[in-house]
Amino acid sequence: VLNVAPQPYGTIAEYQVAPDGLSAVFLSDHEADEQYELYAAPLAVQGVPARLSGTLTAGGDVLDTFRITSDGARVVYVADQDTDETFELYASTGAGVPVKLSGAVLSSHDVEPDFLLAHDGTYAYFLGDLGVVNQVELYSAPTDGSAGRIKLSGTLTTGSDVLAVLHEANEDVVLFRAVLDGTVHLMGAEGTTAGAPWSLSGSLTSF
């Protein structure tokens, strides 16, 4: 049993095994009903799981899209941890307070639930309407919190949006899909520096 002393009717909503196979990270409301928090526990012995997500605000929850970095050093997750219904991106090592990777997020703005980690775990690529409300853009941030977020999707016109971050092609390039002026493009961008993204596909679909 990894979630020692769960509260009645507590649920394990999602779990992942760490890359070294020695521990599991899981999402559970086993301390407070319907408040989902992130925990880690060793697989080989029974012990009290460590809460990774720190203290959540009233009504706050961790979403089930958390990721473990490839070296197992950090868990990256989306939560409305500080302000209810304002979702931000965090990283936790299990020691100390989690680091907010998305920077300040204003009310009515959010980080999207899904995100991508670099192959080596050093960067997170994530989506959010962090500038203009309801205009989703692509950002990156180092998972150790050593620098602020970087906007990768360039300047978008009114009505344009990033739809999905797809793949880290290599350590320098991330691929994403975006609607630009009413047409869908497969785009590339430098993954760690702000710059002008480029279209790999031309126009795919007219709206």
Side-chain angles (χ1 to χ4, degrees):
V1 178
L2 301 184
N3 57 323
V4 176
Q7 59 94 27
Y9 310 112
T11 300
I12 304 296
E14 185 62 71
Y15 74 92
Q16 295 179 28
V17 176
D20 62 8
L22 299 179
S23 62
V25 174
F26 61 95
L27 186 66
S28 174
D29 66 341
H30 80 267
E31 288 192 64
D33 187 34
E34 295 300 320
Q35 184 168 59
Y36 286 88
E37 302 176 276
L38 202 57
Y39 300 86
L43 295 181
V45 295
Q46 180 168 315
V48 177
R51 185 167 60 188
L52 302 180
S53 47
T55 302
L56 300 182
T57 191
D61 288 287
V62 178
L63 301 185
D64 62 2
T65 54
F66 63 89
R67 304 279 187 271
I68 306 172
T69 58
S70 56
D71 61 1
R74 293 176 175 82
V75 180
V76 181
Y77 63 94
V78 176
D80 56 344
Q81 179 158 328
D82 296 325
T83 304
D84 188 28
E85 296 302 321
T86 296
F87 289 90
E88 302 173 280
L89 187 71
Y90 299 84
S92 175
T93 63
V97 178
V99 176
K100 188 184 297 185
L101 303 183
S102 51
V105 175
L106 300 177
S107 177
S108 301
H109 300 252
D110 289 291
V111 171
E112 295 291 299
D114 208 10
F115 60 90
L116 181 70
L117 293 181
H119 297 308
D120 62 5
T122 56
Y123 270 80
Y125 307 111
F126 60 99
L127 305 178
D129 62 341
L130 307 187
V132 178
V133 175
N134 295 327
Q135 184 175 64
V136 177
E137 300 178 280
L138 173 64
Y139 298 85
S140 72
T143 55
D144 63 2
S146 59
R149 71 189 186 217
I150 302 165
K151 186 164 69 173
L152 304 182
S153 48
T155 302
L156 299 181
T157 59
T158 301
S160 297
D161 281 292
V162 178
L163 300 176
V165 55
L166 301 174
H167 182 64
E168 185 196 35
N170 55 51
E171 62 184 12
D172 298 316
V173 176
V174 61
L175 304 182
F176 63 99
R177 192 169 67 246
V179 177
L180 304 178
D181 299 319
T183 59
V184 179
H185 294 256
L186 177 64
M187 306 290 293
E190 294 186 15
T192 59
T193 57
W198 56 94
S199 177
L200 302 176
S201 61
S203 173
L204 294 178
T205 304
S206 296
F207 276 52

